[in-house]
Amino acid sequence: MATQVRHPIWLPAVRPAGARTFATLYTLESFARASIASVIPIQAYDLLRSEQSVSLLYTMVALIGLSVTLFMPMIIGWLSRRWVYTAGVCLLAVGALFFMTDTLWGQLIGMLARVMGASALAITLNLYIMDNIRKTEFMQSESLRMASSMLAWTAGPTLGVFLYSNYGLLAAHGVVVLFSLTLLATFWYFRLGDNKMIRAGNVAAVNPLANIGRFVSQPRLRLAWVIAFGRSCFWTTFFVYGPLLMVVTGQGELAGGLLVSAGNALLFTAIFWGRAGKRFGARATMAFAFVALTVALLAAALAGESLPLIAGGFLLFAAFFTIALDALGSTAFLRAVRSYERPQMTAVYRTFLDFSELIPPLVYSVVLAFFGLGAVFCTLAVFTAICGFFTWKYLPKSL
């Protein structure tokens, strides 16, 4: 009828997604994950009473998480990005509930839920970033995202260990649930899944093995994976074996949390590294960072268990240079991946995190059977030196 009027439904105006949108989401996600980053290895050690057993537990979890990551494009095709992201947030909260049981099975399931949730969040967030950020702005966007998460990764580990040591499991893991709910509400407020500027999240289901083959066939993607794997191996080692070094040498659980927090406090330098990459080039900056990281790790290995505080200091130097790789490393992938295969290649690229949580603990479990904790850092130094060589030799100067 001509007299009928259809009134529009007014929704709160939300700015188009940009670098600050993704920095906000990543910061909240970081709070949810960082608050128990140091608690998990300490809790696992309290249950198992063996550094080698802790390494094997991490290896088992990473192996299962890897299979989930490879099938993520198919899951996104079934559920769409917004629901995969939502499921990832919920898995972080569910994992926290299992950790509260203080049992070995609860520890295992909690770690699995945490790994699968992190995988879902990382892949979907990267897809949103590639849809909304120009390639020429990736370096600036990524350095902002890393720097914005500084508070979370600085205060979170110490807060988690403090709550765990003084108020127990419910307090330490309850914080994760709180931040997860905040992240979920913020994500739906931004309405990323409904934004018309974003292409549809649905993708055709592709055999994960075919995706791996396609990824491996592209040299620039292979190199981007190696760079990301190298830096992630450091953080896995730092988060797990840094606190263990403090606990085993009698420095205390809080010292382990403070070490991790101090390393994460350096995330504010991501802005500096972003500018350095723009001034001197990503290749030169990342190659230099790998060399400096290797030297710092060797120094930490020499200090070892006999001088744990000095070893911790060198690990902080190593963290400073690893942040350069955090700020610049993903640019190598974001600029190389083709737009029509982003979901599939992003899922394969994301396996660097799963492998970094799988291979180092497996290797370290063998190393620890014959040597002390210092040998862990020496082993990692050998690999970061190799990564630095490949970065300098094969990364394009124009990046």
Side-chain angles (χ1 to χ4, degrees):
M1 299 278 302
T3 56
Q4 290 181 331
V5 178
R6 177 174 293 177
H7 297 283
I9 299 175
W10 295 104
L11 296 175
V14 179
R15 292 181 179 179
R20 293 187 181 278
T21 303
F22 304 116
T24 300
L25 291 174
Y26 186 70
T27 299
L28 290 173
E29 176 195 339
S30 296
F31 270 112
R33 293 170 52 209
S35 59
I36 56 170
S38 297
V39 173
I40 293 175
I42 293 173
Q43 187 176 347
Y45 182 76
D46 288 342
L47 290 169
L48 297 169
R49 309 306 302 177
S50 167
E51 300 100 312
Q52 190 176 16
S53 297
V54 171
S55 290
L56 292 174
L57 177 62
Y58 271 86
T59 299
M60 183 188 307
V61 170
L63 188 60
I64 298 174
L66 173 61
S67 61
V68 174
T69 297
L70 291 174
F71 280 94
M72 196 59 66
M74 297 178 66
I75 297 174
I76 292 175
W78 296 331
L79 299 178
S80 82
R81 292 179 196 172
R82 81 185 78 172
W83 291 113
V84 173
Y85 191 96
T86 299
V89 178
C90 293
L91 281 170
L92 294 183
V94 169
L97 297 177
F98 276 101
F99 282 128
M100 292 179 188
T101 64
D102 198 24
T103 63
L104 183 55
W105 278 107
Q107 183 79 11
L108 175 60
I109 297 173
M111 291 173 70
L112 284 173
R114 176 180 163 85
V115 166
M116 291 187 292
S119 176
L121 292 174
I123 291 174
T124 49
L125 189 64
N126 271 329
L127 292 175
Y128 283 129
I129 288 173
M130 285 186 284
D131 277 345
N132 290 275
I133 304 297
R134 296 178 181 176
K135 285 190 175 184
T136 55
E137 299 174 353
F138 281 152
M139 197 179 299
Q140 180 181 357
S141 173
E142 288 301 287
S143 60
L144 175 63
R145 187 160 68 100
M146 292 298 109
S148 297
S149 65
M150 179 198 70
L151 180 60
W153 289 105
T154 300
T158 299
L159 173 63
V161 173
F162 174 78
L163 293 174
Y164 176 69
S165 302
N166 294 278
Y167 299 99
L169 290 171
L170 292 179
H173 295 292
V175 171
V176 178
V177 177
L178 177 62
F179 279 118
S180 296
L181 293 175
T182 305
L183 172 60
L184 188 60
T186 304
F187 171 73
W188 280 95
Y189 168 77
F190 285 139
R191 297 197 297 275
L192 289 176
D194 297 330
N195 194 322
K196 294 181 180 180
M197 295 180 65
I198 298 176
R199 290 186 293 276
N202 295 333
V203 295
V206 179
N207 186 335
L209 295 179
N211 293 338
I212 296 173
R214 177 62 182 157
F215 188 97
V216 172
S217 68
Q218 301 180 60
R220 288 185 62 183
L221 293 184
R222 291 201 306 266
L223 180 59
W225 190 94
V226 169
I227 294 171
F229 178 64
R231 64 180 170 86
S232 191
C233 282
F234 169 79
W235 288 121
T236 297
T237 305
F238 183 71
F239 286 144
V240 176
Y241 297 92
L244 278 181
L245 178 65
M246 296 297 108
V247 172
V248 170
T249 56
Q251 307 304 311
E253 296 175 347
L254 187 57
L258 287 171
L259 175 64
V260 174
S261 290
N264 290 324
L266 298 171
L267 279 170
F268 78 91
T269 62
I271 297 293
F272 160 77
W273 286 116
R275 292 174 180 172
K278 206 168 184 180
R279 171 75 183 276
F280 302 106
R283 187 186 75 151
T285 305
M286 286 193 284
F288 168 75
F290 268 123
V291 171
L293 168 60
T294 300
V295 173
L297 284 171
L298 288 174
L302 289 174
E305 294 178 63
S306 58
L307 298 168
L309 295 181
I310 293 178
F314 282 118
L315 288 178
L316 291 179
F317 275 111
F320 171 70
F321 294 106
T322 306
I323 290 168
L325 304 171
D326 288 336
L328 304 175
S330 58
T331 304
F333 170 76
L334 295 173
R335 289 190 178 180
V337 65
R338 293 178 171 86
S339 59
Y340 63 86
E341 55 184 5
R342 283 175 178 173
Q344 295 87 349
M345 296 303 100
T346 301
V348 179
Y349 174 72
R350 172 55 176 69
T351 61
F352 78 81
L353 189 54
D354 300 290
F355 274 105
S356 71
E357 294 177 349
L358 170 64
I359 295 178
L362 183 61
V363 173
Y364 299 156
S365 65
V366 176
V367 171
L368 288 170
F370 301 97
F371 305 101
L373 274 173
V376 165
F377 309 124
C378 184
T379 303
L380 179 60
V382 173
F383 180 66
T384 55
I386 295 172
C387 291
F389 170 77
F390 281 114
T391 300
W392 176 256
K393 186 171 179 63
Y394 297 110
L395 195 68
K397 293 182 180 180
S398 59
L399 186 67

